[in-house]
Amino acid sequence: MNEVVWGMIGCGDVTEKKTGPGLYKAKGSRLKGVFSRTQARAEDWVNRHGHGTAYLTVEEMLADAEITAVYIATPPDSHYAYAMQAIAAGKAVLMEKPMAIHKYECQEIITAAEKAGVSVFVNFYRRGLPKIQMIKEKLDQGEIGKPLTVEIRHFQKPHPSDYENPLPWRLRPEAGGGKALDTQVHVMDYLSYFFGHLTWMDGCAMNKGGLYTVEDTTVANFIFSQEIIGTAAWCYVAGYELDEVTITGTAGKMVFSGTGVTDLVVNGEAIDLEEPEHVGLAFIQSVVDELNGKGNSPADLESAALVTRWFERLLSKT
């Protein structure tokens, strides 16, 4: 390929600034088509961004021979079906996280892609952020010695949307889980980027606040393939806010927010980083470069499938 030509399925919040603009701002990349189940929404997105054409159906988009890749930006319960359609049409796929609701769906996507000879990426865009790249570099250089443990703490007060009727899709059972699944899969994924695949995870998930049916409080233990062990506590009905990851090594530690994109403290020294205009652009550029034969993306499809597998097991204990 000399150019990746994208079709985008879904045009929700994530496509407005985080990732959507990356499809037409990345070098060697062009956005041709947008589809939404609400046609007016797709047309509005196209008009505001000034890129692409609104398609009436997914089938119409996938039949367009000029489109070489599809970005799936829909809720998790539709990832599997859209990915399988795109793969069958011979398109490369970039899909939002989590990869799918069930581990068997992830494996079927991987198998279908291998059979069709097309590439699939899961949009764990944080791997491309300067902050994550810097952490990985400092870990590889041994700035905290040999890494030993990871501690994750993510606590939030209830949000006004937790009381809405209907609830946001992220808090409905068909999404596969609650706020931890929505945000902390990012953390587990980039920790897998640092320390190897997630090989074990167990714990307990409960609903303590009664605001919705999916879990709101979870405690987990986990192990990565490089034998780094860790713990996590995620609570979204807490009385205070905390977003912190601590990596402890034999010669020091790193502390940073799990979901933030600019903060990092290494052995007591704060490092400030500039926030990108589009947090997903660097990762999309790496995907485009790989599809165009000009580089390699930090994406890891097997790792993305494993994160789904272990979260599915963990949340089944709710």
Side-chain angles (χ1 to χ4, degrees), residues 244-267:
E244 186 175 272
V245 176
T246 301
I247 301 175
T248 298
T250 55
K253 68 177 181 178
M254 293 183 178
V255 182
F256 50 91
S257 64
T259 62
V261 299
T262 60
D263 66 296
L264 174 61
V265 178
V266 180
N267 295 329

Side-chain angles (χ1 to χ4, degrees), residues 43-213:
E43 291 174 349
D44 177 65
W45 196 99
V46 167
N47 289 335
R48 286 185 293 101
H49 287 260
H51 289 268
T53 300
Y55 284 74
L56 292 174
T57 66
V58 168
E59 289 73 20
E60 180 187 15
M61 176 188 291
L62 295 178
D64 188 333
E66 190 177 16
I67 290 177
T68 56
V70 175
Y71 170 42
I72 301 170
T74 58
D77 61 330
S78 60
H79 288 181
Y80 169 77
Y82 283 138
M84 295 297 279
Q85 276 187 272
I87 291 167
K91 315 296 187 184
V93 173
L94 171 63
M95 56 200 304
E96 272 304 318
K97 52 76 192 167
M99 185 175 174
I101 297 293
H102 303 293
K103 62 181 181 181
Y104 74 85
E105 294 176 331
C106 297
Q107 188 55 55
E108 288 183 14
I109 290 170
I110 292 172
T111 300
E114 290 175 348
K115 185 175 180 180
V118 300
S119 299
V120 175
F121 307 86
V122 179
N123 195 31
F124 282 116
Y125 66 83
R126 293 174 186 271
R127 290 191 180 214
L129 288 172
K131 169 181 168 178
I132 300 304
Q133 290 293 318
M134 180 174 288
I135 292 172
K136 181 169 175 54
E137 180 180 344
K138 290 183 177 298
L139 287 169
D140 291 345
Q141 292 174 346
E143 290 203 19
I144 63 167
K146 180 181 179 181
L148 301 169
T149 67
V150 178
E151 301 166 76
I152 305 170
R153 302 291 180 266
H154 195 217
F155 304 143
Q156 291 181 338
K157 297 178 181 179
H159 189 270
S161 63
D162 298 350
Y163 301 92
E164 291 178 357
N165 186 16
L167 287 165
W169 65 261
R170 293 173 176 83
L171 297 179
R172 300 175 192 170
E174 56 265 32
K179 295 182 182 180
L181 182 64
D182 183 43
T183 64
Q184 298 304 295
V185 289
H186 271 298
V187 179
M188 299 307 297
D189 175 76
Y190 66 65
L191 289 174
S192 299
Y193 183 40
F194 302 153
F195 303 127
H197 289 164
L198 188 61
T199 59
W200 179 81
M201 189 178 193
D202 205 354
C204 184
M206 295 183 178
N207 184 295
K208 304 289 285 185
L211 301 178
Y212 35 79
T213 57

